[in-house]
């Protein structure tokens, strides 16, 4: 019978497993060291790249700062030239400046290769551009408003001067009002409340000018008729009425002064005629009749200038001189008398 299997154990040896080989037994630490060195170098390369990128970004940022400042300076100069050379109402000013801004933005951003720097200045330029666009638009609007006001005033002045002439008729006035209202109504870009104010002011100016150009008595009658109640304010109507009253008083004073001067002149003429009659200078019936009419016109016949009596006295004088055989050669030589 065979013997059962028995474990064979070498004396002095343990039953523990044999040790395994590791990387260190074959120079593995050198490889690890190399790997670590390579990793460190790669990390340093990354850090160097980041540092160089940052330095380049800083260079571009500072250069963009300079370029942006110079761009703003150039734009200001261009803007001044555009304002000085702008046409009536600064027409097209905002569009012109928008084109300048667009080209400036292309130039500024085109010189920046770093995306972060470009994005930063894209935002800064947009904010600055918005302000410049608003300013240009506001300027054009303001200049357009000034032009509108100037043109409106010019048109009103022309119409008002036409209506102030004595030859202007009520048809002329009605036509002027219609033209003005139509012209204001064509201003579609003007807010409705401003158009209403312009229309009202213009109608008031035209109405006042027309009334002031009439005879003051006619002006008073027109105001009293109520025809201008919808065209003029109460203050304007009162002012025009007061002006008409002043003109009426002035006309009366001028007429009285003129009458006094004419009466004084007539009196002087009659005095001269009576002196000549008194001196024996003969007068024709036509001259005496004209003198009598002149005295009657100014009421001088009641002030001792009864030319009819002087006419009779003159005729008696001529008869007496004729009976005495005195010959007056007035037609041939009025300064030589033959007795």
């Amino acid at each position: 019978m065979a013997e059962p299997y028995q474990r064979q154990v070498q004396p002095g040896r343990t039953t523990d497993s044999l040790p395994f080989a590791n990387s260190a037994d074959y120079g593995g630490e050198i490889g690890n060291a190399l790997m670590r060195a390579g990793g460190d170098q790669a990390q340093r390369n990354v850090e160097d790249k980041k540092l160089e990128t940052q330095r380049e970004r800083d260079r571009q940022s500072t250069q963009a700062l300079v370029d942006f400042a110079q761009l703003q300076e150039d734009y200001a100069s261009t803007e001044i030239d555009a304002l000085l050379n702008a046409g009536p109402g600064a027409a097209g000013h905002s569009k012109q400046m928008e084109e300048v801004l667009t080209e400036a933005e292309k130039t500024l951003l085109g010189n920046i290769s770093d995306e972060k720097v470009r994005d930063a200045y894209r935002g800064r330029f947009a904010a600055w551009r918005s302000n410049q666009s608003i300013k240009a638009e506001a300027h054009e609007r303001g200049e357009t408003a000034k032009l509108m006001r100037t043109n409106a005033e010019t048109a009103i002045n022309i119409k008002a001067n036409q209506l102030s002439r004595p030859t202007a008729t009520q048809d002329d006035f009605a036509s002027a009002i219609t033209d003005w209202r139509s012209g204001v109504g064509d201003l579609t870009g003007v807010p409705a409340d401003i158009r209403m104010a312009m229309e009202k002011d213009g109608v008031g100016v035209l109405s006042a000018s027309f009334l002031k150009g009439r005879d003051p008595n006619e002006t008073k009658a027109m105001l009293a008729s109520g025809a201008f109640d919808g065209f003029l304010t109460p203050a304007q109507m009162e002012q025009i009425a007061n002006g008409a009253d002043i003109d009426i008083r002035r006309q009366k004073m001028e007429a009285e002064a003129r009458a006094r001067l004419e009466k004084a002149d007539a009196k002087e003429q009659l005095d001269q005629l009576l002196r000549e009659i008194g001196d024996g200078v003969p007068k024709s019936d036509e001259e005496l009749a004209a003198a009598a009419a002149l005295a009657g016109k100014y009421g001088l016949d009641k002030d001792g200038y009864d030319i009819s009596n002087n006419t009779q006295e003159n005729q008696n004088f001529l008869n007496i001189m004729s009976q005495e055989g005195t010959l007056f050669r007035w037609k041939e030589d009025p300064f030589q008398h033959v007795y």
Side-chain angles (χ1 to χ4, degrees):
M1 182 174 179
E3 292 293 327
Y5 173 75
Q6 298 293 323
R7 296 177 59 188
Q8 300 297 315
V9 178
Q10 184 178 0
R13 298 292 296 245
T14 65
T15 59
D16 294 337
S17 61
L18 294 173
F20 293 99
N22 56 59
S23 61
D25 296 334
Y26 302 95
E29 284 300 325
I30 296 175
N32 290 338
L34 291 175
M35 290 179 63
R36 287 195 297 271
D40 292 343
Q41 183 62 42
Q43 182 65 31
R44 283 194 296 272
N45 290 340
V46 170
E47 293 297 330
D48 290 344
K49 182 65 175 177
K50 287 177 60 178
L51 183 60
E52 179 58 29
T53 299
Q54 186 60 54
R55 283 198 294 262
E56 178 60 22
R57 181 172 295 153
D58 289 342
R59 283 193 291 267
Q60 292 192 28
S61 293
T62 53
Q63 184 59 50
L65 187 65
V66 174
D67 293 344
F68 193 27
Q70 186 61 51
L71 178 153
Q72 292 172 321
E73 178 69 18
D74 294 342
Y75 177 84
S77 178
T78 302
E79 182 183 38
I80 292 174
D81 291 339
L83 294 175
L84 292 176
N85 298 317
H93 175 72
S94 59
K95 180 180 179 181
Q96 177 185 359
M97 300 318 296
E98 280 298 318
E99 293 174 352
V100 173
L101 289 168
T102 298
E103 290 301 317
E105 182 179 23
K106 289 180 180 179
T107 300
L108 176 66
L109 299 182
N111 292 332
I112 302 174
S113 60
D114 188 280
E115 189 63 30
K116 287 188 177 181
V117 177
R118 187 163 55 248
D119 287 343
Y121 274 88
R122 183 180 289 111
R124 293 175 188 174
F125 187 91
W128 177 76
R129 176 174 186 163
S130 177
N131 291 333
Q132 301 311 308
S133 297
I134 292 173
K135 185 170 68 172
E137 178 66 21
H139 174 75
E140 184 170 345
R141 284 177 177 270
E143 291 301 306
T144 299
K146 290 179 182 178
L147 178 64
M148 289 171 54
R149 183 168 59 251
T150 299
N151 288 343
E153 290 175 352
T154 301
I156 280 292
N157 288 337
I158 293 173
K159 292 286 187 182
N161 289 333
Q162 292 171 348
L163 293 176
S164 67
R165 300 185 182 112
T167 55
T169 65
Q170 293 190 20
D171 288 341
D172 295 331
F173 171 72
S175 177
I177 294 295
T178 300
D179 290 345
W180 174 249
R181 285 175 169 167
S182 298
V184 173
D186 291 339
L187 302 176
T188 55
V190 177
D193 57 336
I194 296 180
R195 288 202 308 271
M196 291 178 61
M198 288 179 63
E199 178 182 317
K200 183 178 180 181
D201 291 344
V203 168
V205 171
L206 295 176
S207 300
S209 183
F210 178 69
L211 287 171
K212 290 177 180 179
R214 307 308 94 209
D215 178 84
N217 293 291
E218 183 182 1
T219 298
K220 294 276 288 186
M222 287 183 174
L223 289 173
S225 71
F228 288 83
D229 290 354
F231 296 161
L232 299 168
T233 65
Q236 288 175 318
M237 295 183 70
E238 181 179 5
Q239 181 183 22
I240 295 172
N242 291 338
D245 288 336
I246 292 173
D247 287 341
I248 290 172
R249 289 193 295 270
R250 177 181 54 77
Q251 287 182 355
K252 182 180 179 181
M253 294 174 61
E254 289 176 351
E256 291 175 349
R258 197 161 46 247
R260 287 193 296 270
L261 290 174
E262 291 175 355
K263 184 175 182 179
D265 184 63
K267 183 176 181 297
E268 184 177 347
Q269 293 182 46
L270 294 173
D271 285 339
Q272 179 64 25
L273 181 139
L274 293 176
R275 281 195 297 271
E276 292 176 358
I277 291 176
D279 291 340
V281 178
K283 298 296 178 181
S284 67
D285 290 341
E286 291 78 8
E287 290 177 305
L288 295 173
L294 187 64
K297 178 180 179 180
Y298 293 102
L300 294 173
D301 54 342
K302 300 176 181 179
D303 295 336
Y305 291 90
D306 189 355
I307 303 301
S308 60
N309 292 333
N310 284 288
T311 300
Q312 186 62 48
E313 292 175 1
N314 181 66
Q315 190 60 48
N316 292 337
F317 171 78
L318 292 176
N319 291 336
I320 292 171
M321 296 302 292
S322 177
Q323 291 174 2
E324 293 180 352
T326 305
L327 176 62
F328 289 85
R329 298 179 179 174
W330 296 100
K331 293 183 181 180
E332 298 176 1
D333 188 351
F335 300 101
Q336 295 183 8
H337 307 285
V338 179
Y339 297 94

